[in-house]
Amino acid sequence: MLWHIVKRELFEQVNSLRFALAMLLTVFLMLVNAVGHIDEYKTQQAEYGQQVSAYSARLEQNSSNLYKLVLNGPGELYKKPSPLSFCAHGSENNLPKFASGKRAGWGMIYNITGIWRLKYSGFPSIKAKDIFPVFLKIDWILIISNVLSFLALVFTFDAISGEVEHGTLRLTLSNAVARRTVLTGKFLSSLISLGTVFMSGVLVNLLLLYLSGTLQLNAQEWSRISGIFAVGLMYIAVFIALGFLISTLVNNASTSLVILLLIWVIWVILVPSMLGTIMSGLNQPSIRRGPSPAYFIRSGLRERYIARGLEDEAPTRKRPLTPATRLWAEFLNEEAREGARLHRAYLNAQVNQIQIAREFNRISPTAIAQYAIESLAGTGFQRHLNFLKNAERHAATFNDFLIAADRADPDSPHVPFVREGMSDKPVSFESIPKFQDSVRLGDAFKGAMLDVTLLLLFFTVLFAAAHVSFQRKEI
């Protein structure tokens, strides 16, 4: 009986005008998305290629002397553009595109210079309101969150209330059909109809990108596209369940439509925009004014240096190591650790500001779906956090390489990060670790796990409520 109801409802929906219009609209928007992405992605790839070439050239130039690498570091570490950005743009224009692995930029006493340090260039300028749903680009997120959610309500607003008005539901239930069977059958037929619309748009989109030569994906990226499609279906299911819930609560189809449109505007448009702005204003991290804490650290270390009566003595390559050489090693290492800690603390304040706002934003299934799709597509805020982790891992690897390269030189005093205490010989460019940014499949699915769980929870609650409401409804 269940599949009989599904086939009957599906036949009616597929032969309806709203199904045809839904198909045309979705396919058209997917075509627009593909056409717009082709040139944009080619431009991104060309820019990224130039940046990587410049990065390699700087590394090769600094490889003429090991201490040049100690001072200048790996240079700017660029974020790799996601080949799945057509699925989710993720406010990438508002997020930094690189982390800077450059020298600390200060000097004192006999012109000693701070060693390189990883800096997250541009990140402090981000505000929480800049990374919440802004539907300006036609990507899969816009099509799923705005268009398909609206179509889900159009397909379901009269699913129960309309049949109550016309008396057809009484006739159906008079055949000793369980109400849960009727509701489940109607739900499955709506999901299959909209799933077909979604799948058709996706296939047209991917085919056009493939024929243009833009779409060259590996198995991992195809897995992530499959995950995005599954999230899209879950999101559609949430709004189908919502449509059924409201349709069971009222007896008039027009009233059901008005209520659903009001909820749609609040959930899809207002909540994601307003909460991001409000929480951005409430959670601003404190801004440092005047000299940075690192300045006072350096001053304190300099006073310690002078207090030991070594102000006229510079580090040397002598063995055994002189007190001045040991002190400068202590100075540079401590300053580097403390500077990195302070910078990380400020970065964490920025991250926490945005994370808190995102948590509040998750009362909207639209924001939840966006975060899940961005994680899987390798764009947006979660992707940026993963990029920073990649940069930090590379920074640790790079410093380990510097120490190992110095130890390989028998003529070096082996005093890390002091000019006179390290090797001044050239380094093989091929042996220098190169930064390679990538999206790990595990990180992508892990980042989306919470939001997928919340979408499932939304669906479960709404569908269960629709079931209870339908069981109690007087026909």
Side-chain angles (χ1 to χ4, degrees):
M1 183 59 71
L2 173 63
W3 291 111
H4 175 74
I5 294 174
V6 171
K7 287 188 287 186
R8 186 196 69 184
E9 293 284 336
L10 193 58
F11 179 79
E12 291 180 0
Q13 289 180 357
V14 170
N15 286 280
S16 66
L17 177 62
R18 57 187 169 188
F19 180 84
L21 293 177
M23 181 70 75
L24 288 174
L25 177 60
T26 304
V27 170
F28 172 73
L29 290 174
M30 284 292 190
L31 283 171
V32 172
N33 165 262
V35 171
H37 176 74
I38 291 171
D39 289 336
E40 181 180 8
Y41 186 65
K42 288 180 179 178
T43 301
Q44 290 175 346
Q45 285 293 91
E47 290 178 354
Y48 181 69
Q50 293 173 356
Q51 291 163 350
V52 170
S53 297
Y55 160 81
S56 297
R58 284 193 297 269
L59 267 186
E60 188 168 12
Q61 181 181 4
N62 290 330
S63 66
S64 61
N65 186 301
L66 177 62
Y67 200 72
K68 279 188 178 181
L69 292 174
V70 174
L71 287 180
N72 299 317
E76 291 172 346
L77 311 178
Y78 287 92
K79 187 194 304 182
K80 185 177 182 179
S82 172
L84 304 185
S85 59
F86 62 92
C87 298
H89 182 258
S91 300
E92 285 294 299
N93 292 337
N94 295 324
L95 291 166
K97 294 180 173 57
F98 65 91
S100 180
K102 293 185 175 181
R103 66 172 64 189
W106 56 275
M108 55 185 294
I109 307 181
Y110 90 95
N111 200 30
I112 192 167
T113 306
I115 59 177
W116 83 275
R117 186 178 307 147
L118 186 64
K119 299 178 182 178
Y120 311 101
S121 180
F123 194 86
S125 65
I126 299 176
K127 296 181 180 179
K129 64 182 180 181
D130 294 332
I131 58 168
F132 291 106
V134 179
F135 305 114
L136 299 178
K137 280 186 169 289
I138 298 180
D139 55 10
W140 285 23
I141 284 183
L142 181 140
I143 296 169
I144 294 169
S145 62
N146 284 26
V147 178
L148 290 175
S149 65
F150 180 79
L151 291 175
L153 302 184
V154 171
F155 272 56
T156 58
F157 77 95
D158 60 348
I160 304 298
S161 56
E163 291 202 22
V164 170
E165 281 187 290
H166 294 97
T168 55
L169 187 60
R170 183 188 296 271
L171 181 62
T172 301
L173 295 177
S174 67
N175 294 319
V177 181
R179 293 193 179 197
R180 64 175 179 274
T181 304
V182 173
L183 186 67
T184 304
K186 286 177 174 290
F187 168 80
L188 290 176
S189 65
S190 298
L191 184 61
I192 292 171
S193 299
L194 284 169
T196 302
V197 170
F198 184 28
M199 174 64 81
S200 300
V202 166
L203 291 177
V204 169
N205 179 274
L206 296 177
L207 179 62
L208 182 56
L209 289 173
Y210 176 78
L211 293 176
S212 69
T214 305
L215 198 67
Q216 298 176 350
L217 307 179
N218 56 34
Q220 181 202 100
E221 287 155 352
W222 281 113
S223 298
R224 291 195 277 133
I225 285 182
S226 300
I228 292 171
F229 183 78
V231 170
L233 287 180
M234 281 188 281
Y235 179 74
I236 293 169
V238 168
F239 279 85
I240 291 175
L242 173 66
F244 279 112
L245 173 60
I246 301 302
S247 190
T248 59
L249 291 173
V250 300
N251 294 322
N252 185 279
S254 58
T255 303
S256 173
L257 181 59
V258 171
I259 295 173
L260 286 170
L261 288 177
L262 179 61
I263 296 174
W264 183 85
V265 169
I266 293 172
W267 262 7
V268 177
I269 305 298
L270 296 182
V271 171
S273 301
M274 287 193 309
L275 278 182
T277 302
I278 293 171
M279 295 309 300
S280 174
L282 293 178
N283 291 283
Q284 287 289 348
S286 59
I287 304 297
R288 294 191 299 260
R289 299 185 182 278
S292 69
Y295 169 82
F296 296 106
I297 293 167
R298 294 167 191 158
S299 298
L301 291 173
R302 182 179 184 278
E303 290 172 1
R304 188 192 312 169
Y305 181 88
I306 295 173
R308 295 188 188 181
L310 301 171
E311 64 271 19
D312 297 324
E313 185 177 346
T316 68
R317 299 183 69 86
K318 294 179 181 178
R319 296 184 186 180
L321 300 179
T322 65
T325 304
R326 292 182 184 277
L327 186 61
W328 274 114
E330 176 187 337
F331 177 102
L332 288 171
N333 281 277
E334 185 174 342
E335 195 276 337
R337 285 194 303 269
E338 190 65 15
R341 185 190 67 78
L342 291 168
H343 195 78
R344 167 51 66 181
Y346 188 73
L347 178 68
N348 287 341
Q350 289 285 326
V351 170
N352 290 338
Q353 171 202 357
I354 296 171
Q355 293 285 35
I356 291 172
R358 282 164 64 96
E359 294 300 325
F360 277 90
N361 231 33
R362 283 188 168 99
I363 67 172
S364 164
T366 300
I368 294 171
Q370 176 186 349
Y371 300 156
I373 293 173
E374 285 179 354
S375 294
L376 293 169
T379 60
F381 181 65
Q382 187 61 45
R383 158 66 174 130
H384 190 69
L385 294 183
N386 290 335
F387 162 71
L388 293 179
K389 290 180 182 177
N390 291 341
E392 288 172 350
R393 279 192 288 263
H394 178 73
T397 301
F398 192 85
N399 275 334
D400 290 343
F401 165 79
L402 296 177
I403 298 298
D406 178 68
R407 288 175 179 169
D409 181 7
D411 298 327
S412 169
H414 307 313
V415 182
F417 309 126
V418 178
R419 180 188 301 273
E420 292 78 6
M422 294 194 72
S423 172
D424 56 1
K425 293 181 179 179
V427 180
S428 170
F429 173 69
E430 289 72 19
S431 66
I432 301 174
K434 315 297 190 302
F435 179 65
Q436 294 182 333
D437 185 36
S438 63
V439 178
R440 301 182 180 185
L441 186 62
D443 289 342
F445 278 93
K446 183 179 178 181
M449 190 59 64
L450 170 63
D451 297 301
V452 169
T453 303
L454 290 175
L455 275 181
L456 288 173
L457 181 61
F458 259 101
F459 166 72
T460 302
V461 170
L462 289 173
F463 190 74
H467 176 75
V468 171
S469 175
F470 190 45
Q471 292 289 343
R472 297 180 177 181
K473 188 177 183 64
E474 294 184 6
I475 306 299

